[in-house]
Amino acid sequence: MKCIPDVATLLALGSLVIAPAPAQDGELIEKNAATEEVAASPGQQEFDALQKEADEAYREWRMAVRKASEEEREELFAQDPMAPFLARFQAGAAKYAGQEAAVPFLVWIVQWGGRMEGTAGTDSFMTLLTTHAKSPALAGMASMLPDYDHIAGEQAPQALAAIQTIAKENPDKKVQGWATFAVHQKTLQEGELGSEAYDQAKAAVIAKARVSGDDWLVRQAKSTIGIREQFSIGMVAPDIQALDLDGVEFRLSDYRGRVVFVDFWGDW
Amino acid sequence: MKDKPFALIGINSDELEDAKKAVEKNKLNWRSFQNSGEGRADISADWFVQGWPTIVVLDEEGRIHYRGHDGYAATDIAKELTAKLVKKQAEQSAQ
């Protein structure tokens, strides 16, 4: 994908690259003690086998995209290689409804089903937040919690209430960390600097992030706080002193007296 | 926007050689910083950039008027600020 803005269109780009993709979180979770325990259960075995099949289908789709001609590629992009699996993950979630074994199925549906038509992603998200609030396996989708208003849609207020409970009652430190961040995110972004509410939110998020064992959460929290405290509208941006692409040193402050459009870009 | 009190600055996070190639290929005529060089701070980390593109629009005193990912919105704000600045400068030189 090309993300190079040219001067004529000044970044008329629809694409936004976010790294790392939170949806890949599931592949990256460290198995904690609680998930190890259920690893031998029939539910977990069923999930593992199904996930393996889905991963395989995804790999094949990506290989096909890589080899395809431009025309074929468009056709491939119109397909969702994970769509055929949705019903099977839903069946797994239904079979073990209310039990711990349903959690990985539901997490998968939130991660992949959210892009598909229908309410599968939202429904599974709400089930996880309410029925499985104390499951340590929520770690598989913990980084999606700050995005709750988008995922839950009209049910965002209920989702927030559930996440407040999760922040206090879920035994997993990573889940607690992301839930705490999700709860205080708006205060960190919009709260008045120096106010008691802002300071409390900041302290709570930093404390929980620090013990979460999740570097991505620490970065997200620091970034949210840094943007609020150093890059809010009306603040003077910190100076940059660096080299240009020809190795010539220059500073952002050389451009005082002009309006400056600073564009962080790359060629992907 | 030539001759106007406006500057477009890129911060490129590719490897230097890739960045140079991209500038050449796309005929970009604006100046780019290297995001990080030997022994230098990483600008995108200092500026808490989490997604690309990220755009920050500054006025003539370096104050932030926009930060986000929307190129259209950022362009509108930059145009407006530049027009205001041009007007202000014209008024000052008339006095």
Side-chain angles (χ1 to χ4, degrees):
Chain A
M1 180 174 42
K2 287 286 151 208
C3 276
I4 303 181
D6 60 66
V7 181
T9 48
L10 271 188
L11 290 189
L13 294 160
S15 51
L16 168 65
V17 184
I18 299 282
Q24 284 165 7
D25 217 34
E27 298 156 25
L28 304 175
I29 0 162
E30 328 82 58
K31 295 252 187 286
N32 57 31
T35 37
E36 292 287 347
E37 235 167 73
V38 291
S41 75
Q44 186 67 35
Q45 282 173 16
E46 279 171 53
F47 173 79
D48 289 343
L50 186 52
Q51 187 180 38
K52 202 175 157 198
E53 213 182 305
D55 286 351
E56 194 57 44
Y58 188 65
R59 248 192 304 275
E60 274 171 29
W61 177 82
R62 286 187 55 151
M63 286 300 281
V65 168
R66 211 169 294 166
K67 289 179 194 155
S69 68
E70 207 131 302
E71 258 171 60
E72 292 168 332
R73 193 165 295 178
E74 237 166 78
E75 216 168 282
L76 283 165
F77 278 134
Q79 299 168 8
D80 182 341
M82 294 294 97
F85 289 92
L86 178 61
R88 295 171 67 189
F89 281 96
Q90 283 176 312
K95 182 175 171 186
Y96 297 103
Q99 301 170 40
E100 183 64 21
V103 174
F105 291 98
L106 292 165
V107 167
W108 190 95
I109 297 166
V110 173
Q111 287 176 335
W112 295 94
R115 300 165 203 195
M116 301 173 197
E117 277 183 44
T119 61
T122 304
D123 295 345
S124 297
F125 187 63
M126 295 308 294
T127 306
L128 284 167
L129 297 188
T130 51
T131 312
H132 301 284
K134 291 181 186 172
S135 166
L138 286 189
M141 54 148 260
S143 69
M144 295 175 87
L145 292 175
D147 206 20
Y148 71 88
D149 50 353
H150 176 235
I151 302 171
E154 287 173 3
Q155 298 177 73
Q158 293 93 308
L160 177 58
I163 294 170
Q164 282 166 336
T165 307
I166 289 170
K168 288 189 209 114
E169 296 182 4
N170 192 288
D172 186 283
K173 297 256 187 264
K174 176 174 161 178
V175 176
Q176 280 182 20
W178 281 103
T180 305
F181 181 52
V183 167
H184 294 297
Q185 175 176 231
K186 280 222 166 66
T187 309
L188 291 181
Q189 286 165 345
E190 296 160 16
E192 197 186 324
L193 287 180
S195 69
E196 205 177 317
Y198 179 86
D199 289 344
Q200 279 174 0
K202 181 178 164 181
V205 167
I206 289 174
K208 289 287 185 182
R210 237 177 228 157
V211 296
S212 69
D214 187 342
D215 292 343
W216 171 232
L217 171 59
V218 173
R219 278 207 303 279
Q220 283 286 103
K222 277 190 183 163
S223 161
T224 302
I225 293 165
I227 289 170
R228 181 73 184 88
E229 297 185 357
Q230 293 177 48
F231 290 90
S232 287
I233 303 297
M235 289 180 179
V236 174
D239 199 8
I240 299 173
Q241 184 180 358
L243 302 177
D244 70 12
L245 297 187
D246 298 320
V248 179
E249 186 153 315
F250 81 125
R251 292 165 187 261
L252 180 62
S253 54
D254 295 342
Y255 291 85
R256 284 288 145 77
R258 287 199 246 179
V259 173
V260 185
F261 189 102
V262 185
D263 177 11
F264 289 83
W265 66 288
D267 178 22
W268 293 278
Chain B
M1 299 282 262
K2 254 192 182 169
D3 308 327
K4 293 222 170 118
F6 171 82
L8 185 56
I9 288 173
I11 317 285
N12 190 286
S13 45
D14 296 321
E15 291 294 317
L16 181 58
E17 287 311 310
D18 292 338
K20 282 184 177 173
K21 271 183 219 154
V23 167
E24 185 128 331
K25 192 173 64 195
N26 293 275
K27 300 189 172 60
L28 299 179
N29 58 0
W30 35 277
R31 202 166 181 188
S32 266
F33 282 108
Q34 299 173 31
N35 184 47
S36 54
E38 232 167 277
R40 284 170 188 277
D42 186 318
I43 304 166
S44 62
D46 287 350
W47 281 48
F48 304 104
V49 171
Q50 295 273 17
W52 288 264
T54 287
I55 300 149
V56 183
V57 178
L58 309 174
D59 68 15
E60 68 275 16
E61 288 164 10
R63 281 191 308 253
I64 298 163
H65 284 251
Y66 175 85
R67 179 182 169 124
H69 307 293
D70 183 344
Y72 289 114
T75 305
D76 287 346
I77 289 170
K79 276 185 183 163
E80 203 177 299
L81 283 171
T82 307
K84 254 191 221 165
L85 181 57
V86 167
K87 205 176 147 198
K88 199 169 108 186
Q89 288 174 342
E91 281 167 7
Q92 278 170 355
S93 62
Q95 277 167 11

